[in-house]
Amino acid sequence: MSKVPLPFYANDVSDLARSLRRQFERLDHLPSHVEMLNLLAKSGGCRNFQHFKAQQDDAARAVPRPQPAEVNHKLVKRLVRFFDDRGCLIRWPKKYSQRMLCLWVLWSRLTPKTVWSEREISELLEGLHRFGDHALLRRELADREFVTRTPDGSEYRRIEKQPPAEAMELFRLVRHRPA
């Protein structure tokens, strides 16, 4: 049998119990695993377990799959200008949406599963920007949940999450920017 979980729903648990009891009364032996699956499926209104499984497969196919997010290429190209040829952030954007995407680039430069002290992350951020405010970047990364920090600020760790489509495109363009 399949190890894929199949959700089972009964409109009325009392009807389910009555149906199972009637089916058990007709048996002169303890049902096997496959027989038990068939009994449950019949109690739920299907002909047998295969019919139940086919209905689950049909329902899964009917669920629309998420489409890849559309990338705002105009925004991404505008943001590339915030980075120099080495990929360092030149200036801090005024718009929130632009700042968030720039923070994603900084996030991508942080090594996963690494613990930094406040001094270490500050030194790392100093090398990733040119406008001289590593404290702003450190605070924004923590406040916007790109990194976690202990209450006393002694340890910082990157939070693993899926970047948005624009951030992925920005990573690519900043990394492969012609010198």
Side-chain angles (χ1 to χ4, degrees):
M1 287 289 121
S2 171
K3 296 292 182 184
V4 176
L6 299 171
F8 182 82
Y9 175 78
N11 284 329
D12 184 355
V13 75
S14 182
D15 285 343
L16 175 70
R18 258 193 301 287
S19 174
L20 282 172
R21 188 174 58 90
R22 279 194 304 269
Q23 292 180 63
F24 279 132
E25 287 174 350
R26 290 185 208 133
L27 295 175
D28 58 351
H29 62 283
L30 191 62
S32 69
H33 177 74
V34 174
E35 286 176 309
M36 191 64 171
L37 289 173
N38 285 328
L39 292 173
L40 281 169
K42 286 177 185 176
S43 297
C46 296
R47 289 187 304 270
N48 55 31
F49 182 70
Q50 291 301 320
H51 180 232
F52 170 75
K53 189 175 174 186
Q55 284 184 335
Q56 297 294 320
D57 292 343
D58 290 344
R61 279 191 289 276
V63 174
R65 293 213 167 111
Q67 298 298 316
E70 291 293 320
V71 175
N72 183 342
H73 292 285
K74 189 176 179 180
L75 171 64
V76 172
K77 285 183 181 181
R78 195 175 318 125
L79 288 174
V80 169
R81 292 182 271 166
F82 283 89
F83 295 89
D84 66 13
D85 295 338
R86 294 183 333 154
C88 293
L89 189 60
I90 300 168
R91 63 184 184 279
W92 189 235
K94 292 180 182 177
K95 292 186 176 181
Y96 174 81
S97 61
Q98 294 176 345
R99 290 194 305 256
M100 290 301 290
L101 288 171
C102 289
L103 285 173
W104 275 110
V105 173
L106 298 177
W107 171 88
S108 74
R109 307 262 171 85
L110 300 175
T111 310
K113 299 179 183 175
T114 302
V115 179
W116 297 279
S117 67
E118 185 172 330
R119 175 182 286 164
E120 291 168 334
I121 199 163
S122 294
E123 289 172 359
L124 178 65
L125 291 172
E126 282 176 7
L128 297 176
H129 79 289
R130 299 285 172 251
F131 55 89
D133 197 349
H134 64 274
L136 167 78
L137 297 175
R138 188 183 66 237
R139 197 169 41 253
E140 285 292 315
L141 284 167
D143 290 349
R144 307 294 175 218
E145 297 182 347
F146 288 93
V147 298
T148 59
R149 70 174 163 209
T150 55
D152 63 356
S154 63
E155 289 185 356
Y156 290 78
R157 297 172 197 260
R158 178 174 122 163
I159 297 174
E160 297 306 311
K161 51 187 176 178
Q162 179 63 42
E166 279 90 5
M168 297 295 285
E169 182 65 12
L170 187 58
F171 298 162
R172 189 183 67 76
L173 292 176
V174 169
R175 187 178 318 123
H176 295 104
R177 190 168 181 190

